[in-house]
Amino acid sequence: MLEIVLNNLGLFLFVGLAVLGYFAGGLAERRHYRSIREREAELVHLPVVSSEDILPDRPVARSCLVTGSVVVSIDYFKRILASLRNLFGGRVGAYETLVDRARREAVLRMKEQARRRGACMVLNLRLETAVVGRSADKKRGLGSVEVVAYGTALVPPRG
Amino acid sequence: MILTNVSTVPGKTIVEHFGIVQGSTVRAKHVGRDIMAGFKNLVGGELKGYTELLQESREEAVRRMAEQARTLGANAVVNIRFATSSVAQGAAELFAYGTAVRVE
């Protein structure tokens, strides 16, 4: 038995990591989505627009730049799924949820920063996506994405 | 220093333009973080070390941009944009640019 394991160490490692990725990654993703939904509901009253000429009906005392960013990585199992998908083409669901989570998280962090500064609105939302950490995963290229969300927070006068 | 990413400063008027100002920083992550990120890559999820690193670097880029604007005599930077590029393996360039103006 031990001999079989030792002879096929690479295979066992591969399967083990895939199983670990499947369970841990799936759990982490579900938990992340739950947290995203909760915080989105909480911050729904802080409007964010991607245009610069919608102004609030209140006077604006000051404005400041707010940013939010996050780096999210995909798990081992989904990375295997995605590379299999590469053979046949089509939608890569694994990466769709990855970038979706990253964008929503970045926007939420930006909104949280805006709320801490007492803002009533965020103008001109911009989203940038970048692939980072290539060296952590040289062979497979894409593994983690960074999303930064930024905009101009408008703060109404106090009182 | 007022920073915005819209073409004006809401509630104020621009009285003088100073042109483009920019700030950039190139950062490499340290090995410890890279190894941790390697493990985290297996289970997926947020890579907090990288998030912090990029956040700090972006703040540094903005600070340099604001510094440049201040030397020109500006009191605000409008229309700020961010860009990220990986110039080398393991190093990332964070870049911020905008238009330096004086507002009243």
Side-chain angles (χ1 to χ4, degrees), chain A residues 103-120:
Chain A
R103 293 224 170 88
R104 287 164 76 174
E105 179 70 38
V107 171
L108 277 172
R109 287 183 183 182
M110 185 201 70
K111 285 176 94 169
E112 277 160 7
Q113 193 186 0
R115 188 177 56 180
R116 276 198 300 277
R117 293 182 180 191
C120 63

Side-chain angles (χ1 to χ4, degrees), chain A:
Chain A
M1 182 62 198
L2 187 69
E3 205 176 329
I4 299 169
V5 173
L6 285 177
N7 286 341
N8 300 299
L9 199 60
L11 182 69
F12 277 96
L13 198 62
F14 176 76
V15 173
L17 287 177
V19 170
L20 175 77
Y22 179 72
F23 288 106
L27 186 71
E29 183 175 297
R30 278 192 298 279
R31 198 183 292 158
H32 191 199
Y33 263 125
R34 200 179 319 131
S35 139
I36 286 176
R37 276 195 299 272
E38 276 167 16
R39 287 182 297 152
E40 273 178 350
E42 206 178 295
L43 286 161
V44 76
H45 299 298
L46 179 66
V48 175
V49 293
S50 59
S51 132
E52 43 176 283
D53 35 51
I54 300 171
L55 286 171
D57 38 13
R58 287 181 266 183
V60 177
R62 60 191 181 84
S63 48
C64 55
L65 192 72
V66 283
T67 60
S69 73
V70 66
V71 180
V72 184
S73 159
I74 200 166
D75 63 62
Y76 197 75
F77 179 73
K78 285 193 163 178
R79 198 171 293 145
I80 297 165
L81 274 190
S83 57
L84 285 178
R85 179 52 91 187
N86 262 343
L87 298 176
F88 307 108
R91 277 183 53 189
V92 190
Y95 282 127
E96 284 179 352
T97 59
L98 178 78
V99 289
D100 177 53
R101 275 160 69 192
R103 293 224 170 88
R104 287 164 76 174
E105 179 70 38
V107 171
L108 277 172
R109 287 183 183 182
M110 185 201 70
K111 285 176 94 169
E112 277 160 7
Q113 193 186 0
R115 188 177 56 180
R116 276 198 300 277
R117 293 182 180 191
C120 63
M121 193 175 186
V122 179
L123 280 186
N124 207 12
L125 170 78
R126 288 284 178 273
L127 286 162
E128 298 281 344
T129 311
V131 178
V132 295
R134 271 189 196 281
S135 70
D137 191 39
K138 273 186 201 112
K139 273 173 279 176
R140 291 175 191 84
L142 191 91
S144 45
V145 289
E146 193 219 4
V147 174
V148 52
Y150 58 104
T152 303
L154 304 179
V155 185
R158 277 172 215 274

Side-chain angles (χ1 to χ4, degrees), chain B residues 68-85:
Chain B
Q68 198 187 345
R70 197 171 293 122
T71 58
L72 292 173
N75 64 358
V77 181
V78 296
N79 239 329
I80 296 171
R81 293 287 179 270
F82 288 117
T84 313
S85 59

